[in-house]
Amino acid sequence: MFPQRSSEVYRKPDSHDPPPNIELAGNLEYPNLNAADLSARMENLSLRLHGCWDSISLNEQNHFALATNRREGGEWWGVFVGYSEENVKHMTVENADYKLQSTHTVNIVRYASNNVLLAALGNTKLQAWSTYSKVRNPKSPYCLFVMGESAAHPSPISHLSVFKSEPNTAVSASPDGTINTWNFSGADLVSSYRTNYAHTDRLTGMATPVSSANQFVTCDRGGCARIWDARAAAPSSLTLYNDVRHMISFTCAAWAETTQPQADNCIYFGDFDGNVHTIDTRVPKQFQETIQYFEDSIISQLSVNGSHLAVMSNEPAGVKIAKIENGKHEIIYTNMDTHDRQTDAVWTDARTLLTIGHGRKMAKHSIP
């Protein structure tokens, strides 16, 4: 133990008489004792586009929805905003058609129809918002009105997909293996069925077909892929692939579009080694082909647009686009200088892909 007289050296001097904490922020006459200055600073709670751009969605009227989040410090929160096509080149809070700040992060936004937006929040809730209504507000039809809300996942939703052929039906999944199918054709958000044990390993990917709403597929980090019957009253699935040797770790999935031969039966899976695997649902438990897109990156997302397949990676971030003809992948576009971390992407037309992420917030990729 230190001698008693030593403690007197470090005691607060009698002349130290700072103002109250609320007035201490920015005061240079008194030192920062026990972070009093930091705690006195008022938090900036103004609505703004945060540095982390995490999700983007596009409806048939070329209206964009964007989710950005504050992911620093002890408190995280987010905001989602909507923009018409002409305002996408210069996105600000002021020129947004609609905007809403949340007390939690907004992890995913997906348009279910032109006027309905689904938002998955960091507090495990899924919300359905009406974004456009001339009946509700004729002078300003872009207005937000919550249609439904549900906390049907034990952990935050990591995957959310809307069936294009049935825009009133969606499926959500969380890494713990919980899956919910949703129906919002009425005035509320209703879960059709739910399973808590879709996978024994961490769920990492999910995809829905373009031409039907009968099935969807999921995959996990342990190399297992399962196809689900969305019409069943109770969860029902079959194994598409199962890596018993644990040599493959799936990261994402995408369903081929009908413009490609036998597209209804082909599903693409990305993995941690930079490969894209193709599985035919008619011939399960084997790969039709495996193509390496990246040598030193993890495939983070796959996006299909007609005969084009966009393959995106992280660590480091990059984008490659391939044209698929007769099952052959021809890489026609490469960009390895996109974001610090790529988070989401959307096709705006047949030849233009927009990616968002951290660092460089948005990047445009045009293929020849």
Side-chain angles (χ1 to χ4, degrees), residues 266 277-284 286-290:
C266 291
H277 311 277
T278 303
I279 297 180
D280 192 324
T281 57
R282 300 166 299 180
V283 189
Q286 70 180 38
F287 294 140
Q288 297 298 311
E289 62 178 351
T290 297

Side-chain angles (χ1 to χ4, degrees), residues 150-343:
S150 177
H153 286 265
S155 61
I157 296 171
S158 58
H159 299 85
L160 178 62
S161 182
V162 178
F163 291 96
K164 291 185 178 180
S165 60
E166 292 286 345
N168 291 324
T169 306
V171 58
S172 62
S174 51
D176 55 67
T178 303
I179 294 177
N180 278 273
T181 59
W182 302 92
N183 185 280
F184 34 92
S185 56
D188 202 357
L189 186 66
V190 180
S191 177
S192 305
Y193 72 71
R194 167 179 175 168
T195 175
N196 293 335
Y197 306 102
H199 291 267
T200 57
D201 213 321
R202 180 184 178 90
L203 192 149
T204 55
M206 183 178 66
T208 54
V210 176
S211 59
S212 70
N214 299 333
Q215 297 173 313
F216 63 93
V217 68
T218 57
C219 60
D220 66 26
R221 191 165 184 173
C224 178
R226 304 189 67 83
I227 188 167
W228 298 80
D229 188 350
R231 301 164 297 178
S236 174
S237 67
L238 295 173
T239 300
L240 266 183
Y241 189 86
N242 189 19
D243 180 24
V244 296
R245 298 180 301 166
H246 299 288
M247 300 294 291
I248 296 175
S249 294
F250 291 130
T251 58
C252 55
W255 211 299
E257 292 193 358
T258 54
T259 56
Q260 305 173 28
Q262 308 297 329
D264 287 338
N265 304 305
C266 291
I267 306 172
Y268 306 114
F269 294 90
D271 68 12
F272 273 80
D273 296 322
N275 301 315
V276 174
H277 311 277
T278 303
I279 297 180
D280 192 324
T281 57
R282 300 166 299 180
V283 189
K285 300 183 180 180
Q286 70 180 38
F287 294 140
Q288 297 298 311
E289 62 178 351
T290 297
I291 298 176
Q292 186 175 39
Y293 274 79
F294 300 95
E295 294 183 359
D296 56 353
S297 299
I298 299 171
I299 294 182
S300 59
Q301 188 178 1
L302 300 172
S303 182
V304 178
N305 184 23
S307 60
H308 294 113
L309 173 65
V311 182
M312 288 147 279
S313 70
N314 275 322
E315 300 180 10
V319 176
K320 289 187 178 183
I321 301 176
K323 186 175 182 179
I324 302 177
E325 290 183 347
N326 300 322
K328 302 299 182 180
H329 295 230
E330 179 189 359
I331 298 177
I332 58 176
Y333 176 87
T334 301
N335 188 332
M336 298 303 297
D337 185 21
T338 53
H339 312 274
D340 293 340
R341 179 175 177 270
Q342 188 268 337
T343 55

